């Protein structure tokens, strides 16, 4: 029987999307809330490749998240920076294009860049239904990520 080494498990997760006003902040909130509830010692942050610093999530994003039991109201957009990328143990992007941009900008990131689920389409401007569809996919992918992590502990 092999003994598992917790020290190699990621502790600092980063979720990345375009504007950091809906997909990646939602993934951050879901990750942190579920990890805390499960007693997992890991934390997530989020950022955007084209984020306008301090921009709040739109009303549909906040409302749909609240209906699902998550609070996005305090989230504010944060641009992606080399420091955030380097500090993260694992970086989850919402689309293959996000992964490509980051891999080109910082070639040393390839080993810690992952696509969340099968990719999450951008719901921005699509109304509550688009946000709900995206958020359900994010919630499922984040829970699966945490399930896999727990199985390694």
């Amino acid at each position: 029987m092999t003994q598992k080494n917790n020290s190699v498990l990621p502790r600092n997760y980063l979720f990345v999307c375009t504007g950091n006003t809906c997909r990646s902040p939602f993934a951050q909130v879901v990750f942190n809330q579920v990890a805390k509830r499960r007693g997992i010692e890991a934390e997530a942050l989020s950022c955007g490749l084209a984020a306008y610093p301090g921009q709040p999530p739109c009303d549909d994003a906040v409302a749909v998240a609240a209906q699902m039991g998550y609070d996005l109201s305090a989230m504010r957009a944060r641009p992606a920076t080399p420091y955030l990328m380097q500090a993260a143990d694992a970086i989850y992007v919402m689309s293959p294009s996000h992964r490509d941009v980051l891999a080109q900008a910082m070639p040393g990131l390839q080993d810690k860049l992952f696509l969340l689920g099968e990719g999450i389409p951008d719901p921005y401007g699509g109304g509550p239904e688009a946000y709900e569809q995206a958020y359900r996919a994010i919630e499922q992918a984040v829970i699966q990520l945490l399930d896999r992590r727990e199985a390694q502990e």
Side-chain angles (χ1 to χ4, degrees):
M1 182 173 168
T2 60
Q3 186 174 7
K4 296 177 183 174
N5 183 351
N6 289 345
S7 65
V8 298
L9 293 177
R11 291 183 52 96
N12 299 305
Y13 291 77
L14 183 65
F15 293 99
V16 181
C17 68
T18 305
N20 192 225
T21 60
C22 55
R23 291 176 291 174
S24 58
F26 184 73
Q28 173 187 338
V29 168
V30 171
F31 183 96
N32 288 335
Q33 186 171 315
V34 174
K36 182 178 180 180
R37 185 173 62 232
R38 292 184 183 186
I40 297 172
E41 292 184 22
E43 185 175 13
L45 294 175
S46 65
C47 63
L49 297 179
Y52 182 78
Q55 183 176 358
C58 73
D59 292 342
D60 284 341
V62 173
V64 171
Q67 290 168 0
M68 295 175 65
Y70 301 100
D71 183 6
L72 285 184
S73 64
M75 298 298 292
R76 296 296 179 264
R78 171 189 7 235
T81 64
Y83 174 79
L84 286 172
M85 300 299 144
Q86 292 165 354
D89 297 321
I91 302 168
Y92 283 84
V93 297
M94 302 295 147
S95 73
S97 63
H98 295 137
R99 183 178 52 208
D100 294 345
V101 166
L102 288 173
Q104 281 186 326
M106 298 185 72
L109 296 179
Q110 285 93 336
D111 291 344
K112 60 181 181 177
L113 275 176
F114 306 96
L115 182 64
L116 185 64
E118 295 180 13
I120 311 294
D122 193 351
Y124 186 77
E129 298 82 18
Y131 284 93
E132 183 173 356
Q133 185 176 7
Y135 284 3
R136 295 276 176 216
I138 291 168
E139 182 182 47
Q140 180 181 6
V142 168
I143 288 172
Q144 288 173 350
L145 166 64
L146 287 166
D147 288 347
R148 287 191 304 272
R149 189 185 190 288
E150 273 189 312
Q152 295 173 354
E153 288 184 347

